[in-house]
Amino acid sequence: MTLKTILVPTDFSEASEAALEYAQGLAAAFGASIHIVHVTEDLLAHAWSAEVYVASMPNLREEIDKEARDRLAAMMSDDARVRFNVTSAVVAGNPFLEIVRYAKANRIDLIVIGTHGRGPIAHMLLGSVAEKVVRKSPCPVLTVRSAQHEFVMP
């Protein structure tokens, strides 16, 4: 098994931070690079009326993307970014769909994704991005909950 590229989708939650820690441990062990991706929801999909978004849409999209890029930059130190040859990206669309597309387009070997571990009712109502990624991913997926055991190097 070769592991050259690891994708860590993030929603900036504790679960995503835990996934990034796992990814860094795996990247160190295998000499792999890390891709960190944040998917912003498509604003048009949630627009209730056109006049609300027509004037402010371009500026709002730019602001959301800039904030996401800033948060991605803050997730790892400059040294870690160099060590793991980190690529960061912000894409717009349906989260699970964009994660799978990104993995295919960038020939990702492993996706490490945080999961919130919601209860069955919330899962039924909200669905699970992680579950959909596991089902449709072109590569293996490691799901990580923030409450799980920490990754410890031997």
Side-chain angles (χ1 to χ4, degrees), residues 4-10 20 23 27 32-38 72 76 81 84-89 102-103 105-112:
K4 294 181 181 179
T5 55
I6 300 171
L7 172 59
V8 183
T10 183
L20 183 58
S33 63
I34 296 176
H35 291 241
I36 307 172
V37 174
H38 175 72
L72 284 173
M76 296 178 78
R81 287 184 166 285
F84 299 118
N85 191 25
V86 173
T87 301
S88 297
Y102 188 94
N106 292 278
R107 297 185 175 151
I108 298 297
D109 297 315
L110 174 69
I111 299 173
V112 181

Short mmCIF file of all heavy atoms in Angstrom, two decimals, residues 4-10 20 23 27 32-38 72 76 81 84-89 102-103 105-112:
data_model
loop_
_atom_site.label_atom_id
_atom_site.label_comp_id
_atom_site.label_asym_id
_atom_site.label_seq_id
_atom_site.Cartn_x
_atom_site.Cartn_y
_atom_site.Cartn_z
N LYS A 4 0.53 8.42 -0.62
CA LYS A 4 1.27 9.61 -1.00
C LYS A 4 0.50 10.90 -0.76
O LYS A 4 1.10 11.94 -0.54
CB LYS A 4 1.68 9.53 -2.47
CG LYS A 4 2.67 8.42 -2.75
CD LYS A 4 3.07 8.39 -4.19
CE LYS A 4 4.05 7.24 -4.41
NZ LYS A 4 4.46 7.13 -5.78
N THR A 5 -0.84 10.82 -0.83
CA THR A 5 -1.65 12.02 -0.64
C THR A 5 -2.82 11.73 0.29
O THR A 5 -3.54 10.74 0.10
CB THR A 5 -2.21 12.55 -1.98
OG1 THR A 5 -2.92 11.50 -2.63
CG2 THR A 5 -1.11 13.07 -2.88
N ILE A 6 -3.00 12.59 1.27
CA ILE A 6 -4.08 12.46 2.25
C ILE A 6 -4.94 13.71 2.18
O ILE A 6 -4.42 14.82 2.23
CB ILE A 6 -3.51 12.29 3.68
CG1 ILE A 6 -2.62 11.04 3.76
CG2 ILE A 6 -4.64 12.24 4.70
CD1 ILE A 6 -1.86 10.93 5.08
N LEU A 7 -6.24 13.50 2.08
CA LEU A 7 -7.19 14.61 2.07
C LEU A 7 -7.87 14.72 3.42
O LEU A 7 -8.36 13.73 3.96
CB LEU A 7 -8.25 14.39 0.98
CG LEU A 7 -9.43 15.35 0.95
CD1 LEU A 7 -8.96 16.80 0.76
CD2 LEU A 7 -10.42 14.95 -0.12
N VAL A 8 -7.89 15.94 3.97
CA VAL A 8 -8.60 16.21 5.20
C VAL A 8 -9.65 17.29 4.92
O VAL A 8 -9.32 18.47 4.86
CB VAL A 8 -7.65 16.69 6.34
CG1 VAL A 8 -8.44 16.90 7.63
CG2 VAL A 8 -6.51 15.72 6.54
N PRO A 9 -10.91 16.89 4.75
CA PRO A 9 -11.96 17.89 4.61
C PRO A 9 -12.21 18.50 5.99
O PRO A 9 -12.18 17.80 7.00
CB PRO A 9 -13.18 17.09 4.16
CG PRO A 9 -12.67 15.72 3.83
CD PRO A 9 -11.41 15.54 4.57
N THR A 10 -12.45 19.80 6.05
CA THR A 10 -12.67 20.42 7.36
C THR A 10 -13.87 21.35 7.35
O THR A 10 -14.12 22.04 6.36
CB THR A 10 -11.42 21.19 7.83
OG1 THR A 10 -11.66 21.72 9.14
CG2 THR A 10 -11.05 22.33 6.90
N LEU A 20 -7.28 16.08 11.38
CA LEU A 20 -6.01 16.64 10.91
C LEU A 20 -4.84 16.09 11.71
O LEU A 20 -3.77 15.81 11.15
CB LEU A 20 -6.04 18.17 10.98
CG LEU A 20 -4.80 18.88 10.45
CD1 LEU A 20 -4.52 18.51 9.00
CD2 LEU A 20 -4.97 20.39 10.59
N ALA A 23 -4.20 12.69 10.36
CA ALA A 23 -3.59 12.81 9.04
C ALA A 23 -2.11 13.16 9.14
O ALA A 23 -1.29 12.63 8.38
CB ALA A 23 -4.34 13.86 8.21
N ALA A 27 0.78 10.98 7.67
CA ALA A 27 1.67 11.60 6.68
C ALA A 27 3.13 11.48 7.11
O ALA A 27 4.01 11.22 6.28
CB ALA A 27 1.29 13.06 6.48
N ALA A 32 3.75 11.18 3.29
CA ALA A 32 2.69 11.66 2.40
C ALA A 32 2.48 13.17 2.52
O ALA A 32 2.85 13.79 3.51
CB ALA A 32 1.38 10.95 2.74
N SER A 33 1.88 13.73 1.48
CA SER A 33 1.48 15.15 1.52
C SER A 33 0.03 15.23 1.98
O SER A 33 -0.72 14.25 1.90
CB SER A 33 1.66 15.80 0.15
OG SER A 33 0.80 15.20 -0.79
N ILE A 34 -0.36 16.41 2.45
CA ILE A 34 -1.70 16.62 2.98
C ILE A 34 -2.42 17.69 2.18
O ILE A 34 -1.84 18.75 1.89
CB ILE A 34 -1.67 17.02 4.47
CG1 ILE A 34 -1.08 15.89 5.32
CG2 ILE A 34 -3.06 17.40 4.97
CD1 ILE A 34 -0.92 16.23 6.80
N HIS A 35 -3.66 17.42 1.82
CA HIS A 35 -4.56 18.40 1.21
C HIS A 35 -5.63 18.70 2.25
O HIS A 35 -6.24 17.76 2.79
CB HIS A 35 -5.23 17.83 -0.03
CG HIS A 35 -4.31 17.61 -1.18
ND1 HIS A 35 -4.47 18.26 -2.38
CD2 HIS A 35 -3.22 16.81 -1.32
CE1 HIS A 35 -3.51 17.86 -3.20
NE2 HIS A 35 -2.75 16.98 -2.58
N ILE A 36 -5.86 19.98 2.53
CA ILE A 36 -6.92 20.38 3.44
C ILE A 36 -7.95 21.16 2.63
O ILE A 36 -7.60 22.12 1.95
CB ILE A 36 -6.40 21.27 4.59
CG1 ILE A 36 -5.25 20.59 5.32
CG2 ILE A 36 -7.53 21.59 5.57
CD1 ILE A 36 -4.57 21.50 6.34
N VAL A 37 -9.21 20.73 2.69
CA VAL A 37 -10.26 21.34 1.89
C VAL A 37 -11.44 21.73 2.76
O VAL A 37 -11.88 20.96 3.61
CB VAL A 37 -10.73 20.38 0.78
CG1 VAL A 37 -11.92 20.94 0.03
CG2 VAL A 37 -9.60 20.09 -0.19
N HIS A 38 -11.93 22.94 2.52
CA HIS A 38 -13.17 23.39 3.16
C HIS A 38 -14.18 23.64 2.06
O HIS A 38 -13.88 24.31 1.07
CB HIS A 38 -12.94 24.67 3.97
CG HIS A 38 -14.21 25.23 4.54
ND1 HIS A 38 -14.86 24.62 5.59
CD2 HIS A 38 -14.96 26.29 4.19
CE1 HIS A 38 -15.96 25.31 5.87
NE2 HIS A 38 -16.05 26.33 5.03
N LEU A 72 -8.11 28.20 7.20
CA LEU A 72 -7.28 27.08 6.73
C LEU A 72 -5.80 27.36 6.99
O LEU A 72 -5.06 26.48 7.42
CB LEU A 72 -7.50 26.84 5.23
CG LEU A 72 -8.78 26.15 4.81
CD1 LEU A 72 -8.90 26.14 3.29
CD2 LEU A 72 -8.85 24.74 5.36
N MET A 76 -2.45 25.04 10.61
CA MET A 76 -1.14 24.40 10.75
C MET A 76 -0.06 25.47 10.74
O MET A 76 -0.21 26.50 10.10
CB MET A 76 -0.89 23.42 9.60
CG MET A 76 -1.83 22.25 9.56
SD MET A 76 -1.52 21.17 8.15
CE MET A 76 -0.08 20.27 8.71
N ARG A 81 3.35 22.98 7.40
CA ARG A 81 2.91 23.12 6.01
C ARG A 81 4.01 22.69 5.05
O ARG A 81 3.77 22.02 4.04
CB ARG A 81 2.48 24.55 5.71
CG ARG A 81 1.17 24.91 6.33
CD ARG A 81 0.72 26.31 5.92
NE ARG A 81 -0.67 26.46 6.27
CZ ARG A 81 -1.69 25.92 5.61
NH1 ARG A 81 -1.47 25.22 4.55
NH2 ARG A 81 -2.92 26.08 6.02
N PHE A 84 4.76 18.72 5.43
CA PHE A 84 3.77 17.84 4.81
C PHE A 84 3.33 18.30 3.42
O PHE A 84 2.37 17.79 2.89
CB PHE A 84 2.54 17.70 5.73
CG PHE A 84 2.87 17.10 7.06
CD1 PHE A 84 2.66 17.82 8.22
CD2 PHE A 84 3.41 15.82 7.16
CE1 PHE A 84 2.96 17.27 9.46
CE2 PHE A 84 3.72 15.26 8.39
CZ PHE A 84 3.49 16.00 9.55
N ASN A 85 4.05 19.28 2.87
CA ASN A 85 3.74 19.77 1.52
C ASN A 85 2.23 20.02 1.38
O ASN A 85 1.56 19.47 0.51
CB ASN A 85 4.23 18.78 0.47
CG ASN A 85 4.18 19.37 -0.92
OD1 ASN A 85 4.23 20.58 -1.10
ND2 ASN A 85 4.05 18.51 -1.91
N VAL A 86 1.69 20.85 2.27
CA VAL A 86 0.25 21.06 2.39
C VAL A 86 -0.31 21.89 1.25
O VAL A 86 0.26 22.91 0.87
CB VAL A 86 -0.09 21.73 3.74
CG1 VAL A 86 -1.56 22.11 3.82
CG2 VAL A 86 0.28 20.80 4.89
N THR A 87 -1.43 21.42 0.71
CA THR A 87 -2.22 22.15 -0.26
C THR A 87 -3.55 22.47 0.40
O THR A 87 -4.19 21.57 0.96
CB THR A 87 -2.47 21.29 -1.52
OG1 THR A 87 -1.22 20.92 -2.08
CG2 THR A 87 -3.32 22.03 -2.53
N SER A 88 -3.96 23.73 0.37
CA SER A 88 -5.26 24.13 0.94
C SER A 88 -6.16 24.62 -0.17
O SER A 88 -5.71 25.27 -1.11
CB SER A 88 -5.07 25.26 1.96
OG SER A 88 -4.30 24.83 3.04
N ALA A 89 -7.46 24.32 -0.03
CA ALA A 89 -8.41 24.76 -1.03
C ALA A 89 -9.76 25.05 -0.40
O ALA A 89 -10.14 24.41 0.58
CB ALA A 89 -8.57 23.70 -2.12
N TYR A 102 -13.02 16.32 -5.36
CA TYR A 102 -11.65 16.74 -5.09
C TYR A 102 -10.74 15.52 -4.99
O TYR A 102 -9.63 15.51 -5.53
CB TYR A 102 -11.58 17.58 -3.81
CG TYR A 102 -10.22 18.19 -3.58
CD1 TYR A 102 -9.95 19.49 -4.02
CD2 TYR A 102 -9.19 17.48 -2.96
CE1 TYR A 102 -8.70 20.05 -3.83
CE2 TYR A 102 -7.94 18.04 -2.78
CZ TYR A 102 -7.70 19.32 -3.22
OH TYR A 102 -6.44 19.88 -3.04
N ALA A 103 -11.20 14.50 -4.29
CA ALA A 103 -10.40 13.28 -4.13
C ALA A 103 -10.10 12.63 -5.48
O ALA A 103 -8.97 12.21 -5.74
CB ALA A 103 -11.11 12.30 -3.20
N ALA A 105 -10.17 14.15 -8.52
CA ALA A 105 -9.38 15.05 -9.37
C ALA A 105 -7.92 15.11 -8.94
O ALA A 105 -7.03 15.33 -9.77
CB ALA A 105 -9.98 16.46 -9.34
N ASN A 106 -7.64 14.91 -7.66
CA ASN A 106 -6.28 15.04 -7.14
C ASN A 106 -5.64 13.70 -6.80
O ASN A 106 -4.60 13.67 -6.14
CB ASN A 106 -6.28 15.97 -5.93
CG ASN A 106 -6.60 17.39 -6.33
OD1 ASN A 106 -5.73 18.11 -6.78
ND2 ASN A 106 -7.86 17.78 -6.19
N ARG A 107 -6.28 12.62 -7.21
CA ARG A 107 -5.74 11.27 -7.00
C ARG A 107 -5.35 11.04 -5.54
O ARG A 107 -4.23 10.60 -5.24
CB ARG A 107 -4.58 11.00 -7.93
CG ARG A 107 -4.99 11.01 -9.38
CD ARG A 107 -3.86 10.63 -10.26
NE ARG A 107 -4.33 10.54 -11.63
CZ ARG A 107 -3.56 10.78 -12.66
NH1 ARG A 107 -2.31 11.08 -12.49
NH2 ARG A 107 -4.06 10.69 -13.88
N ILE A 108 -6.27 11.34 -4.66
CA ILE A 108 -6.04 11.19 -3.22
C ILE A 108 -6.00 9.70 -2.87
O ILE A 108 -6.81 8.92 -3.36
CB ILE A 108 -7.16 11.92 -2.43
CG1 ILE A 108 -7.15 13.42 -2.74
CG2 ILE A 108 -7.05 11.65 -0.94
CD1 ILE A 108 -5.90 14.17 -2.34
N ASP A 109 -5.07 9.32 -2.00
CA ASP A 109 -4.93 7.92 -1.58
C ASP A 109 -5.77 7.58 -0.36
O ASP A 109 -6.13 6.43 -0.15
CB ASP A 109 -3.46 7.61 -1.29
CG ASP A 109 -2.59 7.74 -2.52
OD1 ASP A 109 -2.99 7.25 -3.59
OD2 ASP A 109 -1.50 8.35 -2.42
N LEU A 110 -6.03 8.59 0.50
CA LEU A 110 -6.78 8.36 1.74
C LEU A 110 -7.47 9.64 2.14
O LEU A 110 -6.86 10.72 2.09
CB LEU A 110 -5.84 7.92 2.87
CG LEU A 110 -6.45 7.77 4.26
CD1 LEU A 110 -7.40 6.57 4.32
CD2 LEU A 110 -5.35 7.63 5.31
N ILE A 111 -8.72 9.53 2.57
CA ILE A 111 -9.44 10.67 3.14
C ILE A 111 -9.55 10.44 4.63
O ILE A 111 -9.97 9.36 5.07
CB ILE A 111 -10.85 10.82 2.52
CG1 ILE A 111 -10.77 11.07 1.02
CG2 ILE A 111 -11.62 11.94 3.23
CD1 ILE A 111 -12.12 11.05 0.31
N VAL A 112 -9.15 11.43 5.42
CA VAL A 112 -9.31 11.37 6.87
C VAL A 112 -10.32 12.46 7.22
O VAL A 112 -10.03 13.64 7.07
CB VAL A 112 -7.97 11.59 7.62
CG1 VAL A 112 -8.19 11.49 9.12
CG2 VAL A 112 -6.92 10.58 7.15
#
